[in-house]
Amino acid sequence: NADFYTVVWESDDEMFRVALDKGLDMHLLNVGTLFEVKEITMERLMDPEFVKYAKKRYERQRNKFAKPWCHGTNFGGGDRTMAATCGITVRENERFRLKWFRDHPGIAEWHKRTEHQLKTHRYVENKFGYRYYFFDRIEAALPEALAWVPQSTVGILINKIWQRFYDELPEVQVLLQVHDSLAGQFPTHREATLLPKMQETSRIVIPYEDPLIIPTGIKTSRESWGDCV
């Protein structure tokens, strides 16, 4: 999801950057890391037939473990919290966490950098320049601080896209904003011209040293929101 792009840029994780660039299934890639599955490689994840097979073969590890565990651990979830969330022992979670930070040291460094920022300045800041101040104990504040940077970045990003639609595409009417998505309507007879314009208007630069533009997708339906595909 959109938050994950920000995590990757905050941690400067080269493996994830390459995987995102190639459009790989990140959850299967994480299964390969956490469970040391030899057949799951970045090269093989470029093969649609292998991805189809692997999603079925490793469905439980992918959907029930990798998805919540990686998200929670990236945002500072502790051993007891993640063990309870994923139905494993604390000792097992410790082994998974060590393996995760071994293969993704940038994420561990991002955690340390954020903790140092909290200890010295009592706030964290996203790349748009917004700050969030904390007054609780640092240990208790760290997970919230880690989560706030990506989530606030994406929240600001989607509002900037909304503002650009309002300013530049008056034919597009936004009716709902939900964190990393917008829902709305436009004249269907202008679909061929408006969809490319909406796609281009959504290209907002997040001002990292290596500028980040999070890809966007558009789903439409002439029937209902629920029928968008």
Side-chain angles (χ1 to χ4, degrees), residues 58-128:
Y58 300 103
E59 180 181 7
R60 184 182 63 81
Q61 293 94 325
R62 178 185 184 276
N63 298 333
K64 301 296 184 181
F65 187 84
K67 279 187 176 183
W69 190 91
C70 295
H71 180 76
T73 300
N74 287 345
F75 285 171
D79 287 320
R80 291 185 180 277
T81 298
M82 298 315 303
T85 299
C86 297
I88 58 177
T89 66
V90 172
R91 187 61 180 272
E92 286 174 323
N93 198 84
E94 290 173 350
R95 290 198 295 268
F96 280 123
R97 180 169 49 80
L98 289 173
K99 193 180 304 180
W100 184 249
F101 290 150
R102 179 198 66 200
D103 285 6
H104 300 288
I107 294 178
E109 286 301 316
W110 171 48
H111 287 191
K112 291 178 183 177
R113 189 170 68 250
T114 302
E115 185 174 21
H116 178 73
Q117 174 73 13
L118 286 173
K119 288 179 177 178
T120 55
H121 298 288
R122 306 295 302 191
Y123 71 80
V124 289
E125 184 175 5
N126 64 34
K127 288 301 179 180
F128 288 117

Side-chain angles (χ1 to χ4, degrees), residues 195-219:
L195 290 184
K197 288 182 179 179
M198 291 167 65
Q199 197 78 59
E200 181 60 30
T201 303
S202 299
R203 291 176 57 83
I204 303 288
V205 175
I206 302 174
Y208 283 94
E209 184 175 340
D210 177 15
L212 169 61
I213 298 178
I214 298 177
T216 56
I218 301 175
K219 298 179 180 180

